[in-house]
Amino acid sequence: MRFVPARQAEQAAARRRRAGSETALSRTRRARRIQRILAQTYPYAVAELDFDDAWQLLVATVLSAQTTDIRVNAVTPGLFAAYPGPRELAEAPAEDVQEMVRSLGFYRSKARSIQALAARVVDEYDGTVPGTLAQLVTLPGVGRKTANVVLGNAFGVPGITVDTHFGRLARRLGWTVQDDPVKVEADVAALFPPALWTELSHELIYHGRRICHSRRPACGVCPVADLCPSYGEGPTDPEAARQLLGYELKPGREDLLAGFMAGRTRRQLRAEGHTLSA
């Protein structure tokens, strides 16, 4: 992982303050350099929800609201084994579906959402998940964020996924000043070619979960510290910052990181006995 000495990051921050406002061209160049570094840092960045097809990803993404991907991944294998497709889920007893998703919280409303979603996919799309943004956002429980997750990861259609992490980092990195997810998406999309949108979504979300935390970002070990206008919001001492790292970057989890870097999947790593929690 790229290491930026504190003095180098501080000098870069001072230069940006002296220069004042950033031109659109400079912002684009800085943003694209950040993306290239994040791509090198997280070459294994993919959707963290387990899925085999568009239907499974759609359901998993709807279930992930207000819970973690890790909890969803613990529930979906049993759910999809019991109800392999939308028709089976739509026709399942509501009480059984509720029990299967109980551990995710809000289980009654989540069960209703995915069963309504299943019924709509069966009734209007003959059991096949539609492949356009306009169609997806009409489905129960599916907003623009969920639609872009499915399009980008199941259909190969470029999309930017503005979740909590993405929005926070886009503002922290100076790519936008907006809070509204649709406006954030538009501002960031203007900085990058569409071919990078899905990859960028994964990279920024990974970075937000592992290094650039909401309350105490690990600035002292951030690989883009010298390109970030928010440098210094968290500890700048490398040793203090290292203790804040999460997931496979956390001290003591070098074997897990090596597994990811070697190309092993999340399912393979779990089978090898690794826990993938923060």
Side-chain angles (χ1 to χ4, degrees), residues 110-151:
K110 287 189 177 185
R112 282 196 300 270
S113 289
I114 61 174
Q115 288 200 279
L117 172 64
R120 182 77 68 82
V121 170
V122 170
D123 292 344
E124 295 190 13
Y125 298 102
D126 197 28
T128 301
V129 176
T132 71
L133 180 66
Q135 292 170 318
L136 283 167
V137 295
T138 67
L139 299 175
V142 179
R144 191 177 181 91
K145 183 192 82 170
T146 296
N148 276 330
V149 169
V150 174
L151 290 172

Side-chain angles (χ1 to χ4, degrees), residues 71-120:
R71 287 185 176 179
V72 175
N73 288 339
V75 164
T76 49
L79 181 69
F80 296 139
Y83 315 114
R87 190 174 303 279
E88 292 87 350
L89 182 59
E91 296 174 354
E95 297 80 5
D96 293 350
V97 178
Q98 290 175 13
E99 192 58 35
M100 296 199 79
V101 302
R102 178 183 289 271
S103 64
L104 301 179
F106 306 99
Y107 65 96
R108 290 190 180 89
S109 62
K110 287 189 177 185
R112 282 196 300 270
S113 289
I114 61 174
Q115 288 200 279
L117 172 64
R120 182 77 68 82

Side-chain angles (χ1 to χ4, degrees), residues 251-272:
R253 307 189 85 179
E254 290 78 11
D255 287 348
L256 176 58
L257 176 59
F260 276 120
M261 296 297 282
R264 291 203 281 280
T265 67
R266 299 175 63 81
R267 286 173 174 168
Q268 288 171 332
L269 290 166
R270 278 199 299 271
E272 294 171 9

